[in-house]
Structure formats: C-alpha cells, structure tokens
Amino acid sequence: SPGMIVQFAIFGLVQAAQVLVIERRSGAMQRLLTTPLTRAGLIGGHLLSIFAVVFTQQLLLVGFGQAFLKVDYLRQPLATLLMMVTLALFVAALGLLIATLSKKEEQVVVITMAAMFLFSALGGTWFSLEVAGPAFAAVGKLTPSAWAMIGFQNIIMRGLDFSSVLLPAGILLAYSAAFFGLAVWKFKF
C-alpha cells in the first residue's frame, strides 16, 4: 500500500508538469503575466493547485488502504498526514520544475515518465530496499521516494511513533524547497 501511494503520487508528475506547458501554449500564461503576481506567487499558485490534486489522490488511497486492506494508517494519523503533505509538496514542486524546463507537452511526458520510473524503481516502491544489495540500497536512499517509503513504513510496518517520520518528512521538504526554488529561478516571464 505505501508503495502504491508513493508511485501514484509520483505519477502525478505528468499532470503537474503539463499545467504550465498547456498554459503557455493556450495563451493563458500571457494573460496571467499581465497581473501584478510575482514569479514566486505565480509558480506558488500552480504548486498549490497541483498539491491539492496529489493530496486528494493520497487521501483516497489511504482511505482505501485503511478501510479495505486493513493497513493501519490511522494508528499515527498526524504522522501519516505529515508524510502525505510532504510527498504532495515534493511531487508538485518537481512537476513545476519539469514544466519550467520543458517547451512541449511531449517533453513533459518523456521527462516525467523517466522520473516516475527512476524514482519508483530506485526508491523502493516496487520492492523493498531492505532486500536489495547494499550498493543499490545506498543509491536508492538518495531519492525522495525512498524517504517517503521509509516514512510510511515507519508508521504502518515498523509501528514507530510520530518522531520517526520527522527525518523522512524533512528530507522530502528539503527536496520540495530545492525544486520549487529551481522552478522559480528557471521560470521565464
């Protein structure tokens, strides 16, 4: 269940990244640029909308896992909420960075699919990094998806408390801030 949550959240990159590209192509971006919004405000508004979509998707998956698969996400509800928020922020920020770097929708699809497969495979959403070789596990732990998995696994598999998700959530938040900063920097008015 945690692997599916992380993988589907990362799959949200496609939609997140296409937003700015479609707005540039349709002329909506030119209209937005006539407003007094700052670069950070414009990108931040897009980040918030993508965050809402990815977070809602996670709510549905956590609800399904809790109700039908009997995965006890609500044993530590605040820890689960923190992991969901930081995962959604990471996905939204990375999606916006990809959008600012892409010129066409085809580029968005190729880059986001590559990121999804890379982060999913290396981050342990398909198989546990604990059963991978030490070198693969070490490389995998450099990915944000691995830290999302660690946070969710600390809650539901290891039975740990809220403090066990602070490091994984902090790392996801750091990735989010870095990707958002790069997106703002690379965004062209």
mmCIF file of all heavy atoms in Angstrom, residues 1-52:
data_model
loop_
_atom_site.group_PDB
_atom_site.id
_atom_site.type_symbol
_atom_site.label_atom_id
_atom_site.label_comp_id
_atom_site.label_asym_id
_atom_site.label_seq_id
_atom_site.Cartn_x
_atom_site.Cartn_y
_atom_site.Cartn_z
ATOM 1 N N SER A 1 0.808 -1.208 0.000
ATOM 2 C CA SER A 1 0.000 0.000 0.000
ATOM 3 C C SER A 1 0.850 1.271 0.000
ATOM 4 O O SER A 1 0.579 2.175 -0.794
ATOM 5 C CB SER A 1 -0.965 -0.026 1.185
ATOM 6 O OG SER A 1 -1.756 1.120 1.202
ATOM 7 N N PRO A 2 1.892 1.386 0.837
ATOM 8 C CA PRO A 2 2.712 2.592 0.771
ATOM 9 C C PRO A 2 3.387 2.753 -0.590
ATOM 10 O O PRO A 2 3.512 3.867 -1.102
ATOM 11 C CB PRO A 2 3.758 2.407 1.868
ATOM 12 C CG PRO A 2 3.207 1.406 2.784
ATOM 13 C CD PRO A 2 2.309 0.527 1.966
ATOM 14 N N GLY A 3 3.831 1.649 -1.173
ATOM 15 C CA GLY A 3 4.466 1.715 -2.484
ATOM 16 C C GLY A 3 3.529 2.261 -3.541
ATOM 17 O O GLY A 3 3.929 3.052 -4.406
ATOM 18 N N MET A 4 2.262 1.860 -3.475
ATOM 19 C CA MET A 4 1.274 2.359 -4.436
ATOM 20 C C MET A 4 1.002 3.845 -4.213
ATOM 21 O O MET A 4 0.870 4.610 -5.166
ATOM 22 C CB MET A 4 -0.038 1.577 -4.338
ATOM 23 C CG MET A 4 0.059 0.151 -4.841
ATOM 24 S SD MET A 4 0.368 0.074 -6.612
ATOM 25 C CE MET A 4 2.087 -0.375 -6.658
ATOM 26 N N ILE A 5 0.937 4.256 -2.956
ATOM 27 C CA ILE A 5 0.704 5.674 -2.662
ATOM 28 C C ILE A 5 1.837 6.526 -3.223
ATOM 29 O O ILE A 5 1.602 7.529 -3.903
ATOM 30 C CB ILE A 5 0.550 5.901 -1.139
ATOM 31 C CG1 ILE A 5 -0.788 5.331 -0.675
ATOM 32 C CG2 ILE A 5 0.661 7.377 -0.783
ATOM 33 C CD1 ILE A 5 -0.975 5.347 0.812
ATOM 34 N N VAL A 6 3.072 6.119 -2.968
ATOM 35 C CA VAL A 6 4.222 6.894 -3.433
ATOM 36 C C VAL A 6 4.303 6.864 -4.953
ATOM 37 O O VAL A 6 4.491 7.898 -5.595
ATOM 38 C CB VAL A 6 5.525 6.379 -2.777
ATOM 39 C CG1 VAL A 6 6.733 7.075 -3.357
ATOM 40 C CG2 VAL A 6 5.469 6.578 -1.262
ATOM 41 N N GLN A 7 4.122 5.684 -5.551
ATOM 42 C CA GLN A 7 4.219 5.596 -7.010
ATOM 43 C C GLN A 7 3.127 6.409 -7.695
ATOM 44 O O GLN A 7 3.391 7.130 -8.647
ATOM 45 C CB GLN A 7 4.143 4.146 -7.478
ATOM 46 C CG GLN A 7 4.280 4.039 -8.989
ATOM 47 C CD GLN A 7 4.352 2.616 -9.482
ATOM 48 O OE1 GLN A 7 4.784 1.735 -8.775
ATOM 49 N NE2 GLN A 7 3.929 2.411 -10.706
ATOM 50 N N PHE A 8 1.883 6.317 -7.223
ATOM 51 C CA PHE A 8 0.806 7.088 -7.853
ATOM 52 C C PHE A 8 0.968 8.582 -7.619
ATOM 53 O O PHE A 8 0.599 9.386 -8.472
ATOM 54 C CB PHE A 8 -0.567 6.604 -7.402
ATOM 55 C CG PHE A 8 -1.001 5.346 -8.081
ATOM 56 C CD1 PHE A 8 -1.272 4.203 -7.353
ATOM 57 C CD2 PHE A 8 -1.131 5.293 -9.461
ATOM 58 C CE1 PHE A 8 -1.668 3.037 -7.988
ATOM 59 C CE2 PHE A 8 -1.524 4.130 -10.103
ATOM 60 C CZ PHE A 8 -1.794 2.992 -9.365
ATOM 61 N N ALA A 9 1.521 8.957 -6.474
ATOM 62 C CA ALA A 9 1.794 10.383 -6.250
ATOM 63 C C ALA A 9 2.831 10.866 -7.258
ATOM 64 O O ALA A 9 2.660 11.937 -7.862
ATOM 65 C CB ALA A 9 2.286 10.608 -4.825
ATOM 66 N N ILE A 10 3.880 10.071 -7.463
ATOM 67 C CA ILE A 10 4.901 10.454 -8.430
ATOM 68 C C ILE A 10 4.320 10.450 -9.843
ATOM 69 O O ILE A 10 4.693 11.269 -10.677
ATOM 70 C CB ILE A 10 6.135 9.537 -8.312
ATOM 71 C CG1 ILE A 10 6.815 9.762 -6.957
ATOM 72 C CG2 ILE A 10 7.129 9.788 -9.437
ATOM 73 C CD1 ILE A 10 7.893 8.760 -6.628
ATOM 74 N N PHE A 11 3.387 9.552 -10.104
ATOM 75 C CA PHE A 11 2.746 9.528 -11.427
ATOM 76 C C PHE A 11 2.003 10.843 -11.675
ATOM 77 O O PHE A 11 1.816 11.246 -12.810
ATOM 78 C CB PHE A 11 1.780 8.346 -11.541
ATOM 79 C CG PHE A 11 1.223 8.168 -12.920
ATOM 80 C CD1 PHE A 11 2.041 7.769 -13.961
ATOM 81 C CD2 PHE A 11 -0.112 8.412 -13.175
ATOM 82 C CE1 PHE A 11 1.532 7.613 -15.240
ATOM 83 C CE2 PHE A 11 -0.629 8.256 -14.450
ATOM 84 C CZ PHE A 11 0.196 7.854 -15.491
ATOM 85 N N GLY A 12 1.631 11.552 -10.599
ATOM 86 C CA GLY A 12 1.006 12.865 -10.725
ATOM 87 C C GLY A 12 1.912 13.900 -11.359
ATOM 88 O O GLY A 12 1.464 15.001 -11.697
ATOM 89 N N LEU A 13 3.197 13.570 -11.527
ATOM 90 C CA LEU A 13 4.122 14.490 -12.190
ATOM 91 C C LEU A 13 3.654 14.863 -13.585
ATOM 92 O O LEU A 13 3.838 15.992 -14.026
ATOM 93 C CB LEU A 13 5.511 13.855 -12.310
ATOM 94 C CG LEU A 13 6.406 13.851 -11.098
ATOM 95 C CD1 LEU A 13 7.658 13.035 -11.364
ATOM 96 C CD2 LEU A 13 6.764 15.253 -10.694
ATOM 97 N N VAL A 14 3.066 13.913 -14.292
ATOM 98 C CA VAL A 14 2.632 14.177 -15.673
ATOM 99 C C VAL A 14 1.656 15.338 -15.684
ATOM 100 O O VAL A 14 1.828 16.318 -16.413
ATOM 101 C CB VAL A 14 2.004 12.924 -16.311
ATOM 102 C CG1 VAL A 14 1.442 13.240 -17.683
ATOM 103 C CG2 VAL A 14 3.024 11.804 -16.401
ATOM 104 N N GLN A 15 0.631 15.247 -14.867
ATOM 105 C CA GLN A 15 -0.381 16.299 -14.818
ATOM 106 C C GLN A 15 0.202 17.598 -14.265
ATOM 107 O O GLN A 15 -0.059 18.675 -14.782
ATOM 108 C CB GLN A 15 -1.572 15.835 -13.970
ATOM 109 C CG GLN A 15 -2.747 16.768 -14.019
ATOM 110 C CD GLN A 15 -2.987 17.457 -12.700
ATOM 111 O OE1 GLN A 15 -2.405 17.126 -11.693
ATOM 112 N NE2 GLN A 15 -3.852 18.435 -12.715
ATOM 113 N N ALA A 16 1.031 17.488 -13.236
ATOM 114 C CA ALA A 16 1.617 18.679 -12.618
ATOM 115 C C ALA A 16 2.480 19.440 -13.610
ATOM 116 O O ALA A 16 2.425 20.665 -13.683
ATOM 117 C CB ALA A 16 2.441 18.275 -11.395
ATOM 118 N N ALA A 17 3.265 18.722 -14.370
ATOM 119 C CA ALA A 17 4.192 19.372 -15.297
ATOM 120 C C ALA A 17 3.488 19.924 -16.527
ATOM 121 O O ALA A 17 3.940 20.910 -17.111
ATOM 122 C CB ALA A 17 5.283 18.394 -15.708
ATOM 123 N N GLN A 18 2.397 19.323 -16.935
ATOM 124 C CA GLN A 18 1.723 19.775 -18.144
ATOM 125 C C GLN A 18 0.981 21.089 -17.951
ATOM 126 O O GLN A 18 0.706 21.786 -18.921
ATOM 127 C CB GLN A 18 0.762 18.705 -18.658
ATOM 128 C CG GLN A 18 1.479 17.590 -19.360
ATOM 129 C CD GLN A 18 0.527 16.593 -19.994
ATOM 130 O OE1 GLN A 18 -0.602 16.444 -19.569
ATOM 131 N NE2 GLN A 18 1.000 15.917 -21.012
ATOM 132 N N VAL A 19 0.681 21.448 -16.722
ATOM 133 C CA VAL A 19 -0.102 22.653 -16.463
ATOM 134 C C VAL A 19 0.533 23.892 -17.095
ATOM 135 O O VAL A 19 -0.118 24.606 -17.872
ATOM 136 C CB VAL A 19 -0.310 22.860 -14.942
ATOM 137 C CG1 VAL A 19 -0.882 24.221 -14.640
ATOM 138 C CG2 VAL A 19 -1.201 21.774 -14.383
ATOM 139 N N LEU A 20 1.784 24.164 -16.787
ATOM 140 C CA LEU A 20 2.427 25.369 -17.313
ATOM 141 C C LEU A 20 2.628 25.303 -18.820
ATOM 142 O O LEU A 20 2.476 26.314 -19.510
ATOM 143 C CB LEU A 20 3.771 25.600 -16.627
ATOM 144 C CG LEU A 20 3.716 26.112 -15.196
ATOM 145 C CD1 LEU A 20 5.112 26.199 -14.609
ATOM 146 C CD2 LEU A 20 3.025 27.447 -15.111
ATOM 147 N N VAL A 21 2.947 24.123 -19.328
ATOM 148 C CA VAL A 21 3.155 23.986 -20.770
ATOM 149 C C VAL A 21 1.855 24.265 -21.523
ATOM 150 O O VAL A 21 1.836 24.995 -22.520
ATOM 151 C CB VAL A 21 3.704 22.579 -21.102
ATOM 152 C CG1 VAL A 21 3.799 22.361 -22.603
ATOM 153 C CG2 VAL A 21 5.072 22.380 -20.453
ATOM 154 N N ILE A 22 0.755 23.738 -21.040
ATOM 155 C CA ILE A 22 -0.555 23.969 -21.676
ATOM 156 C C ILE A 22 -0.940 25.441 -21.566
ATOM 157 O O ILE A 22 -1.457 26.029 -22.526
ATOM 158 C CB ILE A 22 -1.632 23.056 -21.050
ATOM 159 C CG1 ILE A 22 -1.353 21.601 -21.443
ATOM 160 C CG2 ILE A 22 -3.029 23.480 -21.472
ATOM 161 C CD1 ILE A 22 -2.189 20.597 -20.697
ATOM 162 N N GLU A 23 -0.673 26.049 -20.422
ATOM 163 C CA GLU A 23 -0.996 27.473 -20.266
ATOM 164 C C GLU A 23 -0.165 28.346 -21.198
ATOM 165 O O GLU A 23 -0.668 29.327 -21.731
ATOM 166 C CB GLU A 23 -0.796 27.912 -18.816
ATOM 167 C CG GLU A 23 -1.884 27.440 -17.904
ATOM 168 C CD GLU A 23 -1.709 27.908 -16.476
ATOM 169 O OE1 GLU A 23 -0.663 28.523 -16.156
ATOM 170 O OE2 GLU A 23 -2.615 27.644 -15.679
ATOM 171 N N ARG A 24 1.084 27.986 -21.401
ATOM 172 C CA ARG A 24 1.907 28.756 -22.351
ATOM 173 C C ARG A 24 1.362 28.607 -23.765
ATOM 174 O O ARG A 24 1.274 29.583 -24.509
ATOM 175 C CB ARG A 24 3.363 28.287 -22.298
ATOM 176 C CG ARG A 24 4.117 28.810 -21.106
ATOM 177 C CD ARG A 24 5.610 28.628 -21.245
ATOM 178 N NE ARG A 24 6.012 27.241 -21.377
ATOM 179 C CZ ARG A 24 6.639 26.539 -20.434
ATOM 180 N NH1 ARG A 24 6.919 27.093 -19.291
ATOM 181 N NH2 ARG A 24 6.978 25.294 -20.652
ATOM 182 N N ARG A 25 0.990 27.408 -24.137
ATOM 183 C CA ARG A 25 0.502 27.149 -25.495
ATOM 184 C C ARG A 25 -0.857 27.795 -25.738
ATOM 185 O O ARG A 25 -1.116 28.327 -26.813
ATOM 186 C CB ARG A 25 0.413 25.640 -25.745
ATOM 187 C CG ARG A 25 0.109 25.299 -27.203
ATOM 188 C CD ARG A 25 -0.253 23.871 -27.376
ATOM 189 N NE ARG A 25 -1.484 23.653 -26.607
ATOM 190 C CZ ARG A 25 -1.897 22.493 -26.152
ATOM 191 N NH1 ARG A 25 -1.203 21.425 -26.384
ATOM 192 N NH2 ARG A 25 -3.004 22.384 -25.470
ATOM 193 N N SER A 26 -1.730 27.786 -24.743
ATOM 194 C CA SER A 26 -3.086 28.306 -24.919
ATOM 195 C C SER A 26 -3.173 29.828 -24.800
ATOM 196 O O SER A 26 -4.207 30.407 -25.123
ATOM 197 C CB SER A 26 -4.024 27.674 -23.894
ATOM 198 O OG SER A 26 -3.730 28.161 -22.599
ATOM 199 N N GLY A 27 -2.134 30.464 -24.307
ATOM 200 C CA GLY A 27 -2.167 31.912 -24.124
ATOM 201 C C GLY A 27 -2.614 32.328 -22.732
ATOM 202 O O GLY A 27 -2.589 33.514 -22.402
ATOM 203 N N ALA A 28 -3.019 31.371 -21.907
ATOM 204 C CA ALA A 28 -3.440 31.701 -20.546
ATOM 205 C C ALA A 28 -2.280 32.271 -19.735
ATOM 206 O O ALA A 28 -2.473 33.162 -18.901
ATOM 207 C CB ALA A 28 -4.018 30.473 -19.849
ATOM 208 N N MET A 29 -1.077 31.795 -19.989
ATOM 209 C CA MET A 29 0.084 32.291 -19.265
ATOM 210 C C MET A 29 0.320 33.765 -19.577
ATOM 211 O O MET A 29 0.632 34.548 -18.678
ATOM 212 C CB MET A 29 1.330 31.458 -19.615
ATOM 213 C CG MET A 29 2.575 31.878 -18.868
ATOM 214 S SD MET A 29 2.442 31.731 -17.079
ATOM 215 C CE MET A 29 2.348 29.976 -16.887
ATOM 216 N N GLN A 30 0.148 34.156 -20.828
ATOM 217 C CA GLN A 30 0.340 35.562 -21.191
ATOM 218 C C GLN A 30 -0.662 36.450 -20.440
ATOM 219 O O GLN A 30 -0.325 37.544 -20.007
ATOM 220 C CB GLN A 30 0.181 35.762 -22.703
ATOM 221 C CG GLN A 30 1.365 35.270 -23.518
ATOM 222 C CD GLN A 30 1.435 33.732 -23.595
ATOM 223 O OE1 GLN A 30 0.456 33.044 -23.370
ATOM 224 N NE2 GLN A 30 2.614 33.216 -23.882
ATOM 225 N N ARG A 31 -1.885 35.965 -20.275
ATOM 226 C CA ARG A 31 -2.881 36.742 -19.519
ATOM 227 C C ARG A 31 -2.502 36.806 -18.045
ATOM 228 O O ARG A 31 -2.668 37.843 -17.404
ATOM 229 C CB ARG A 31 -4.273 36.133 -19.709
ATOM 230 C CG ARG A 31 -4.820 36.367 -21.120
ATOM 231 C CD ARG A 31 -6.283 35.967 -21.245
ATOM 232 N NE ARG A 31 -6.516 34.545 -21.074
ATOM 233 C CZ ARG A 31 -6.366 33.619 -22.032
ATOM 234 N NH1 ARG A 31 -5.955 33.975 -23.231
ATOM 235 N NH2 ARG A 31 -6.615 32.356 -21.793
ATOM 236 N N LEU A 32 -1.993 35.701 -17.489
ATOM 237 C CA LEU A 32 -1.565 35.715 -16.093
ATOM 238 C C LEU A 32 -0.398 36.674 -15.873
ATOM 239 O O LEU A 32 -0.285 37.296 -14.817
ATOM 240 C CB LEU A 32 -1.144 34.308 -15.648
ATOM 241 C CG LEU A 32 -2.258 33.334 -15.320
ATOM 242 C CD1 LEU A 32 -1.688 31.936 -15.099
ATOM 243 C CD2 LEU A 32 -3.023 33.782 -14.095
ATOM 244 N N LEU A 33 0.442 36.795 -16.869
ATOM 245 C CA LEU A 33 1.615 37.651 -16.729
ATOM 246 C C LEU A 33 1.271 39.141 -16.739
ATOM 247 O O LEU A 33 2.114 39.964 -16.395
ATOM 248 C CB LEU A 33 2.631 37.328 -17.821
ATOM 249 C CG LEU A 33 3.234 35.925 -17.742
ATOM 250 C CD1 LEU A 33 4.139 35.658 -18.928
ATOM 251 C CD2 LEU A 33 3.985 35.735 -16.439
ATOM 252 N N THR A 34 0.045 39.481 -17.131
ATOM 253 C CA THR A 34 -0.380 40.881 -17.085
ATOM 254 C C THR A 34 -0.834 41.291 -15.687
ATOM 255 O O THR A 34 -1.074 42.459 -15.443
ATOM 256 C CB THR A 34 -1.517 41.148 -18.089
ATOM 257 O OG1 THR A 34 -2.661 40.383 -17.707
ATOM 258 C CG2 THR A 34 -1.088 40.828 -19.507
ATOM 259 N N THR A 35 -0.955 40.332 -14.792
ATOM 260 C CA THR A 35 -1.363 40.622 -13.421
ATOM 261 C C THR A 35 -0.130 41.009 -12.600
ATOM 262 O O THR A 35 1.011 40.773 -13.018
ATOM 263 C CB THR A 35 -2.040 39.388 -12.778
ATOM 264 O OG1 THR A 35 -1.064 38.354 -12.632
ATOM 265 C CG2 THR A 35 -3.207 38.902 -13.621
ATOM 266 N N PRO A 36 -0.330 41.607 -11.424
ATOM 267 C CA PRO A 36 0.821 42.025 -10.613
ATOM 268 C C PRO A 36 1.469 40.880 -9.825
ATOM 269 O O PRO A 36 2.225 41.131 -8.889
ATOM 270 C CB PRO A 36 0.224 43.069 -9.674
ATOM 271 C CG PRO A 36 -1.210 42.722 -9.563
ATOM 272 C CD PRO A 36 -1.593 42.123 -10.887
ATOM 273 N N LEU A 37 1.225 39.626 -10.199
ATOM 274 C CA LEU A 37 1.818 38.496 -9.489
ATOM 275 C C LEU A 37 3.339 38.471 -9.654
ATOM 276 O O LEU A 37 3.849 38.791 -10.717
ATOM 277 C CB LEU A 37 1.267 37.173 -10.034
ATOM 278 C CG LEU A 37 -0.140 36.788 -9.643
ATOM 279 C CD1 LEU A 37 -0.591 35.560 -10.423
ATOM 280 C CD2 LEU A 37 -0.209 36.507 -8.155
ATOM 281 N N THR A 38 4.015 38.062 -8.605
ATOM 282 C CA THR A 38 5.457 37.846 -8.698
ATOM 283 C C THR A 38 5.694 36.472 -9.313
ATOM 284 O O THR A 38 4.787 35.648 -9.400
ATOM 285 C CB THR A 38 6.114 37.890 -7.309
ATOM 286 O OG1 THR A 38 5.601 36.799 -6.542
ATOM 287 C CG2 THR A 38 5.856 39.206 -6.608
ATOM 288 N N ARG A 39 6.922 36.231 -9.697
ATOM 289 C CA ARG A 39 7.293 34.921 -10.246
ATOM 290 C C ARG A 39 7.003 33.827 -9.215
ATOM 291 O O ARG A 39 6.414 32.806 -9.531
ATOM 292 C CB ARG A 39 8.770 34.948 -10.612
ATOM 293 C CG ARG A 39 9.270 33.716 -11.272
ATOM 294 C CD ARG A 39 10.749 33.772 -11.530
ATOM 295 N NE ARG A 39 11.144 35.026 -12.148
ATOM 296 C CZ ARG A 39 12.246 35.202 -12.832
ATOM 297 N NH1 ARG A 39 13.075 34.216 -12.999
ATOM 298 N NH2 ARG A 39 12.544 36.367 -13.355
ATOM 299 N N ALA A 40 7.410 34.038 -7.971
ATOM 300 C CA ALA A 40 7.172 33.051 -6.916
ATOM 301 C C ALA A 40 5.681 32.879 -6.648
ATOM 302 O O ALA A 40 5.213 31.766 -6.394
ATOM 303 C CB ALA A 40 7.891 33.461 -5.640
ATOM 304 N N GLY A 41 4.918 33.960 -6.706
ATOM 305 C CA GLY A 41 3.475 33.875 -6.492
ATOM 306 C C GLY A 41 2.776 33.083 -7.572
ATOM 307 O O GLY A 41 1.882 32.283 -7.288
ATOM 308 N N LEU A 42 3.173 33.302 -8.813
ATOM 309 C CA LEU A 42 2.574 32.575 -9.932
ATOM 310 C C LEU A 42 2.885 31.086 -9.846
ATOM 311 O O LEU A 42 1.991 30.241 -9.937
ATOM 312 C CB LEU A 42 3.082 33.150 -11.256
ATOM 313 C CG LEU A 42 2.511 32.530 -12.515
ATOM 314 C CD1 LEU A 42 1.003 32.749 -12.590
ATOM 315 C CD2 LEU A 42 3.180 33.131 -13.738
ATOM 316 N N ILE A 43 4.147 30.762 -9.628
ATOM 317 C CA ILE A 43 4.543 29.359 -9.513
ATOM 318 C C ILE A 43 3.937 28.754 -8.246
ATOM 319 O O ILE A 43 3.494 27.611 -8.240
ATOM 320 C CB ILE A 43 6.081 29.217 -9.512
ATOM 321 C CG1 ILE A 43 6.668 29.741 -10.815
ATOM 322 C CG2 ILE A 43 6.495 27.784 -9.287
ATOM 323 C CD1 ILE A 43 6.301 28.958 -12.040
ATOM 324 N N GLY A 44 3.900 29.543 -7.162
ATOM 325 C CA GLY A 44 3.310 29.056 -5.911
ATOM 326 C C GLY A 44 1.835 28.714 -6.048
ATOM 327 O O GLY A 44 1.358 27.735 -5.478
ATOM 328 N N GLY A 45 1.101 29.510 -6.812
ATOM 329 C CA GLY A 45 -0.311 29.205 -7.053
ATOM 330 C C GLY A 45 -0.482 27.903 -7.818
ATOM 331 O O GLY A 45 -1.366 27.096 -7.500
ATOM 332 N N HIS A 46 0.373 27.690 -8.787
ATOM 333 C CA HIS A 46 0.334 26.427 -9.522
ATOM 334 C C HIS A 46 0.723 25.265 -8.607
ATOM 335 O O HIS A 46 0.129 24.198 -8.667
ATOM 336 C CB HIS A 46 1.259 26.482 -10.737
ATOM 337 C CG HIS A 46 0.686 27.259 -11.867
ATOM 338 N ND1 HIS A 46 0.782 28.625 -11.937
ATOM 339 C CD2 HIS A 46 0.000 26.871 -12.964
ATOM 340 C CE1 HIS A 46 0.185 29.041 -13.032
ATOM 341 N NE2 HIS A 46 -0.298 28.003 -13.677
ATOM 342 N N LEU A 47 1.716 25.496 -7.760
ATOM 343 C CA LEU A 47 2.130 24.471 -6.808
ATOM 344 C C LEU A 47 0.963 24.078 -5.913
ATOM 345 O O LEU A 47 0.720 22.890 -5.677
ATOM 346 C CB LEU A 47 3.305 24.979 -5.964
ATOM 347 C CG LEU A 47 3.819 23.989 -4.928
ATOM 348 C CD1 LEU A 47 4.950 23.167 -5.520
ATOM 349 C CD2 LEU A 47 4.298 24.719 -3.696
ATOM 350 N N LEU A 48 0.229 25.058 -5.430
ATOM 351 C CA LEU A 48 -0.894 24.784 -4.539
ATOM 352 C C LEU A 48 -1.983 23.969 -5.230
ATOM 353 O O LEU A 48 -2.543 23.038 -4.633
ATOM 354 C CB LEU A 48 -1.468 26.103 -4.004
ATOM 355 C CG LEU A 48 -2.551 25.992 -2.943
ATOM 356 C CD1 LEU A 48 -2.044 25.228 -1.731
ATOM 357 C CD2 LEU A 48 -3.023 27.375 -2.539
ATOM 358 N N SER A 49 -2.270 24.279 -6.481
ATOM 359 C CA SER A 49 -3.321 23.527 -7.179
ATOM 360 C C SER A 49 -2.892 22.085 -7.425
ATOM 361 O O SER A 49 -3.681 21.154 -7.255
ATOM 362 C CB SER A 49 -3.702 24.205 -8.496
ATOM 363 O OG SER A 49 -2.645 24.128 -9.435
ATOM 364 N N ILE A 50 -1.661 21.872 -7.800
ATOM 365 C CA ILE A 50 -1.163 20.511 -8.018
ATOM 366 C C ILE A 50 -1.085 19.775 -6.688
ATOM 367 O O ILE A 50 -1.423 18.591 -6.590
ATOM 368 C CB ILE A 50 0.203 20.530 -8.723
ATOM 369 C CG1 ILE A 50 0.087 21.213 -10.075
ATOM 370 C CG2 ILE A 50 0.739 19.115 -8.883
ATOM 371 C CD1 ILE A 50 -1.004 20.705 -10.978
ATOM 372 N N PHE A 51 -0.638 20.474 -5.645
ATOM 373 C CA PHE A 51 -0.612 19.877 -4.309
ATOM 374 C C PHE A 51 -1.990 19.346 -3.939
ATOM 375 O O PHE A 51 -2.122 18.231 -3.432
ATOM 376 C CB PHE A 51 -0.145 20.914 -3.272
ATOM 377 C CG PHE A 51 -0.345 20.464 -1.858
ATOM 378 C CD1 PHE A 51 0.607 19.685 -1.239
ATOM 379 C CD2 PHE A 51 -1.490 20.812 -1.151
ATOM 380 C CE1 PHE A 51 0.422 19.250 0.073
ATOM 381 C CE2 PHE A 51 -1.678 20.383 0.150
ATOM 382 C CZ PHE A 51 -0.724 19.600 0.763
ATOM 383 N N ALA A 52 -3.026 20.139 -4.186
ATOM 384 C CA ALA A 52 -4.390 19.727 -3.830
ATOM 385 C C ALA A 52 -4.804 18.451 -4.555
ATOM 386 O O ALA A 52 -5.419 17.563 -3.957
ATOM 387 C CB ALA A 52 -5.373 20.856 -4.128
#
